Amino acid sequence: MTPDPDTYARGHALFEARSDQRSRIVSWLGDRLARRAGDDHLSVLSVGCGDGTVDRALAARACAEAAPGATRSWTGVDPHSPGVASFVAGLEGLGREQLAVRGHVGTFDSLLTGPDERFDVVVFVHSLYYVPDLDAALGRAVAMLAPGGELLVLHAPLGALNELVADLAPPAAGGPQPWSDAVAAALARLPVDVAAEDLASTVDLDGGDGDDPALLDFTVQTVLDDAARTAVVERLRRSAEPGPGLRVAHPVTAFVVHPRGDTPPLRSGA
């Protein structure tokens, strides 16, 4: 059984507040986009944009670092309409005249683009878990890149924390949840060049068994009863880092993907 939407959202917020991963992701993505600060125009597609928390920080930095007269455009796609509304409102609220914002409510494969529309950067932040066909989604993302463009994918590896998810969460309709090794395998089947690195981060789950059960339920992506919750906490303690709290490794794999033979243009500081 999966948590209801309100409980899921509450657990997600609690989890993010206890994890340093989002700040690592924003910093890493911001540094990648900074290599394009000298571009007259930069177009970004954020797949699974959610409420735009990550994109808002990235767009603010991209606009601040852009040369006078340069323009930036951001397109967000997500099936959750309130999230897309927040994405659009948040980016428009930056008040940057050079920033054009567009939101699309729907799945990635429902996003319609013009025949000549391409993006300089396509970003997936923890959103490839939800596509029905990993190979098709990555292939389409690569095909949507402009010359010199790049695909940036942030995806979880199967570590101690996600082994719990694999053991306890209900299986997805299309089979087991794909982890970063599945993303790497799918990319290997495409004509692309790939670089990958793991970004270390931790999440402190102390109190997840006694404060708000939504935290631990979100962590393992299912609804736990009291006995299961106790067993999960004990298992987490065995893999926790030394020190106070219940800090568990929570890394993310960052992929940089370029179409093979499409050499990325040289940028200052690259």
Side-chain angles (χ1 to χ4, degrees), residues 5 41-42 71 79 126 128 132 153 156 161 186 203-204 255 265:
H41 180 70
L42 172 66
T71 59
H126 289 311
L128 275 175
V153 177
L161 189 60
V203 58
D204 186 357
F255 295 90

Side-chain angles (χ1 to χ4, degrees), residues 18-259:
R18 293 170 180 246
S19 171
D20 61 357
Q21 188 186 98
R22 179 175 288 179
S23 63
R24 294 296 313 278
I25 289 173
V26 168
S27 176
W28 186 87
L29 285 172
D31 289 345
R32 292 297 311 181
L33 295 182
R35 302 180 181 213
R36 298 173 177 269
D39 290 9
D40 290 336
H41 180 70
L42 172 66
S43 57
V44 177
L45 171 63
S46 177
V47 183
C49 62
D51 64 2
T53 301
V54 170
D55 292 289
R56 189 160 55 249
L58 296 176
R61 178 175 171 181
C63 289
E65 295 177 344
T71 59
R72 301 291 181 254
S73 67
W74 235 269
T75 300
V77 54
D78 196 283
H80 188 235
S81 57
V84 174
S86 295
F87 165 85
V88 172
L91 269 68
E92 289 182 343
L94 294 172
R96 306 285 187 164
E97 292 184 359
Q98 78 267 47
L99 176 64
V101 182
R102 180 178 61 167
H104 172 77
V105 178
T107 59
F108 177 47
D109 57 6
S110 73
L111 176 65
L112 300 178
T113 57
D116 299 321
E117 184 175 10
R118 295 293 182 268
F119 299 92
D120 298 308
V121 181
V122 176
V123 181
F124 287 82
V125 177
H126 289 311
S127 52
L128 275 175
Y129 315 110
Y130 310 107
V131 300
D133 186 324
L134 197 58
D135 290 77
L138 288 168
R140 184 177 192 223
V142 170
M144 297 174 82
L145 293 174
E150 61 184 9
L151 167 64
L152 305 177
V153 177
L154 285 299
H155 202 86
L158 180 59
L161 189 60
N162 287 324
E163 285 175 354
L164 272 170
V165 179
D167 289 346
L168 297 174
Q177 180 161 297
W179 305 105
S180 57
D181 58 344
V183 174
L187 289 171
R189 293 188 285 269
L190 293 173
V192 295
D193 294 315
V194 183
E197 63 178 302
D198 284 331
L199 308 182
S201 66
T202 60
V203 58
D204 186 357
L205 298 170
D206 187 38
D209 55 331
D211 290 346
D212 188 333
L215 171 62
L216 210 57
D217 288 351
F218 173 83
T219 300
V220 298
Q221 297 290 292
T222 191
V223 178
L224 300 168
D225 59 28
D226 291 342
R229 184 166 289 107
T230 299
V232 164
V233 170
E234 287 307 311
R235 182 168 164 180
L236 287 170
R237 292 197 188 284
R238 291 196 293 271
S239 59
E241 297 187 359
L246 185 57
R247 292 188 304 116
V248 181
H250 177 43
V252 61
T253 305
F255 295 90
V256 180
V257 183
H258 297 112

